[in-house]
Amino acid sequence: MEDHLDLHKEFPAPCLNDEALKYSGKKASAKLQQGLVEKLLSQQPAMIEVDGRQYPRGTEGVAVAALGKAALAGNKLIDAGTEAFIPDHVDVEYIAKLEPQSLRRPKFIERSEFMQTEEGSKTIFGADGRRVFYSTAYPWRCNGRVESSLGSGSGVLVGPRHLLTASHMIDWRPGNSTGWLKFTPMYYNGSAPYGTAWGVRTYFKVKVTPPTIDSNEIKFDYVVVVLDRPAGNATGWLGTKSYSDSWDGGAYWTHVGYPGDLTGTQRPIWQGGIALDGDFWSPDSHESMSHKGDVWPGQSGGAFWGYWNGQPHAVAVQSAHNPSNNFASGGSDLVDLVIRARAELP
């Protein structure tokens, strides 16, 4: 048992998903700054040469110590979380528009056949609640596809050039360096409406290395990657908040990711009304949360967010699953990483 197990705080809960769906969206009140997207599209990544081949440069890793009692006691910055940013030039929609009929494709993988050798193993519970969407409205445009030398996953912008994703998506290298990482906001079947950004620095608590995730790693399976360009100025970004176990069981949370089964990781899905259940034996500063949201590999790193006064704040990212549960990872340490990354590399 950890020495700061008593650090369970109660904070105002987000609104229930059914209430969020009743919010009225709004149209953009200004035009997009001229040249902003064009600049994001035209900037090339930094490259290195290895054995005569050109590769995108990796990132610098920055280790940040886990929060303890002293760091958390009365920490108003952590308690407040970070703010969301909704640009004037974007539409706001609380229900993502489904992809048009003309763009729909068959399932990439038939799960029942793929998992027939794993009797009793589930990552989809009951009817599949995921819906494939295409939307350039906020907050959906803040989400995107993450690629590294390990494969593809999901992530969300939480600052002007600050990406929240899973630690196990990072290709950890010796000496606190990493392999390359690429992020494409609102990626859809090869389309990159806001360009592609590349990682330059990765803030982490624990280096989580697949294919397995142990009981400690699952509490810290998140990183903040600072990107080489401010894509968030075009898309906006989500805020973040520390998860509280007082929210356990509430159908508050929305999730977005790029699943391998439905779309071959090429098109995003969303699901709302997900309930999280924080690990009782872990402090709210860092913990895993079990859930019955529907996931498949490719959704790792995708955020779980709720709405406070119409503003979306992420509290966790998709991390792992076992035969009976799916798991997200979050806590005050996640917020701490965002604050640190945004302060040092705005």
Side-chain angles (χ1 to χ4, degrees), residues 84-277:
F85 171 58
I86 307 176
D88 292 336
H89 61 256
V90 305
D91 295 342
V92 178
E93 296 174 356
Y94 293 95
I95 301 177
K97 291 180 179 176
L98 300 184
E99 62 179 354
Q101 186 74 36
S102 61
L103 295 178
R104 295 179 187 178
R105 296 292 181 269
K107 290 180 183 177
F108 188 75
I109 292 173
E110 184 52 59
R111 294 184 304 273
S112 59
E113 296 178 5
F114 186 82
M115 300 184 69
Q116 61 184 351
T117 59
E118 301 180 40
E119 187 174 353
S121 180
K122 291 183 178 180
T123 61
I124 310 297
F125 299 91
D128 194 337
R130 301 172 297 172
R131 297 293 180 266
V132 184
F133 73 93
Y134 182 86
S135 174
T136 54
Y138 181 94
W140 315 102
R141 64 196 280 138
C142 305
N143 300 273
R145 187 172 187 257
V146 175
E147 298 173 65
S148 74
S149 58
L150 301 181
S152 69
S154 307
V156 69
L157 288 167
V158 290
R161 57 180 183 137
H162 305 85
L163 168 69
L164 174 65
T165 188
S167 177
H168 75 257
M169 281 301 305
I170 306 299
D171 180 11
W172 299 107
R173 303 283 180 85
N176 273 354
S177 64
T178 82
W180 59 269
L181 183 135
K182 174 182 176 183
F183 176 66
T184 308
M186 199 45 231
Y187 176 91
Y188 182 92
N189 205 24
S191 169
Y194 312 108
T196 291
W198 300 80
V200 296
R201 183 180 291 180
T202 300
Y203 288 84
F204 67 95
K205 299 282 180 165
V206 171
K207 296 178 180 179
V208 180
T209 54
T212 60
I213 298 178
D214 67 29
S215 59
N216 183 62
E217 291 173 335
I218 203 169
K219 303 173 188 176
F220 297 96
D221 192 14
Y222 36 83
V223 294
V224 175
V225 180
V226 182
L227 304 170
D228 66 348
R229 65 201 73 188
N233 289 344
T235 64
W237 60 80
L238 271 61
T240 60
K241 285 187 180 292
S242 301
Y243 186 79
S244 169
D245 282 345
S246 63
W247 303 334
D248 284 356
Y252 305 124
W253 313 109
T254 297
H255 171 70
V256 165
Y258 285 77
D261 61 334
L262 289 185
T263 71
T265 77
Q266 293 299 301
R267 289 146 36 235
I269 61 86
W270 78 284
Q271 184 177 4
I274 299 171
L276 299 176
D277 187 2

Side-chain angles (χ1 to χ4, degrees), residues 48-73:
I48 59 171
E49 183 175 324
V50 180
D51 297 330
R53 292 176 179 264
Q54 294 288 321
Y55 297 93
R57 186 180 298 276
T59 83
E60 169 196 11
V62 177
V64 179
L67 295 169
K69 277 185 177 181
L72 272 174

Side-chain angles (χ1 to χ4, degrees), residues 270-343:
W270 78 284
Q271 184 177 4
I274 299 171
L276 299 176
D277 187 2
D279 176 11
F280 175 78
W281 298 106
S282 297
D284 287 353
S285 53
H286 46 263
E287 63 178 329
S288 66
M289 304 105 173
S290 62
H291 67 88
K292 300 292 187 183
D294 299 321
V295 301
W296 192 266
Q299 292 173 234
S300 288
F304 291 85
W305 78 79
Y307 292 97
W308 282 261
N309 299 318
Q311 305 277 317
H313 291 75
V315 298
V317 300
Q318 173 56 28
S319 173
H321 65 268
N322 64 25
S324 58
N325 270 311
N326 297 323
F327 295 93
S329 182
S332 303
D333 278 291
L334 182 155
V335 177
D336 185 44
L337 285 180
V338 178
I339 292 172
R340 174 81 175 267
R342 291 186 57 178

